Amino acid sequence: VDQEFLDHQVEEKKAREERERLRNASFDADRLRFDATALLLEAEETERRRRLDEEVLLYRQRYQRPEDGRDFDLSDPRGLRASAPARVGDADPRCGPASLQTFAGEDLDRPARDRLQAARNRRG
């Protein structure tokens, strides 16, 4: 058996294992550095998205309110209370012949006329 050749193989194996260990250590250092960078980028992205969401919410609150929408009058819960009645009196100019708002025999001023007649009857 050639002892010198065997010693040389053992030395080569040790050198190869040392190179592999250094290579793995280098990979581990790179992995740690890449992980730290990834965490930093992820935190920046999360913060950027949070700021963007806040800005979108503020924009919507300021410029996209429901009452400013073009169809809000169709779904306004207070719309009927705020709108004018279909007609105000018998001589309402908005009610023409085709409006079907004025009917024969209907008297919108009857309660007021009844009160006036009652007051006249009491006086005299």
Side-chain angles (χ1 to χ4, degrees), residues 5-110:
F5 181 73
L6 292 177
D7 289 343
H8 180 67
Q9 280 185 335
V10 168
E11 288 297 321
E12 282 182 1
K13 182 177 180 183
K14 286 182 182 179
R16 190 174 53 244
E17 288 175 352
E18 180 65 19
R19 283 193 310 268
E20 188 70 23
R21 188 188 64 75
L22 290 174
R23 182 173 176 249
N24 286 339
S26 173
F27 286 153
D28 287 343
D30 287 346
R31 183 186 51 81
L32 292 174
R33 190 173 63 245
F34 293 152
D35 286 349
T37 303
L39 287 174
L40 180 66
L41 290 174
E42 185 178 348
E44 288 177 0
E45 178 67 15
T46 302
E47 178 63 22
R48 187 189 68 76
R49 283 182 190 232
R50 188 191 61 76
R51 280 195 317 267
L52 183 63
D53 288 344
E54 284 180 1
E55 290 174 9
V56 166
L57 182 64
L58 183 63
Y59 180 85
R60 287 179 180 159
Q61 287 173 347
R62 189 175 295 160
Y63 298 111
Q64 293 181 333
R65 296 179 304 190
E67 58 267 13
D68 292 339
R70 67 181 180 143
D71 296 334
F72 181 71
D73 58 332
L74 300 175
S75 62
D76 184 8
R78 294 172 292 178
L80 291 177
R81 285 182 241 135
S83 65
R87 71 178 187 157
V88 187
D90 288 332
D92 192 349
R94 296 178 299 161
C95 299
S99 68
L100 292 177
Q101 293 292 322
T102 306
F103 300 101
E106 184 180 28
D107 187 10
L108 291 179
D109 296 328
R110 182 175 180 190

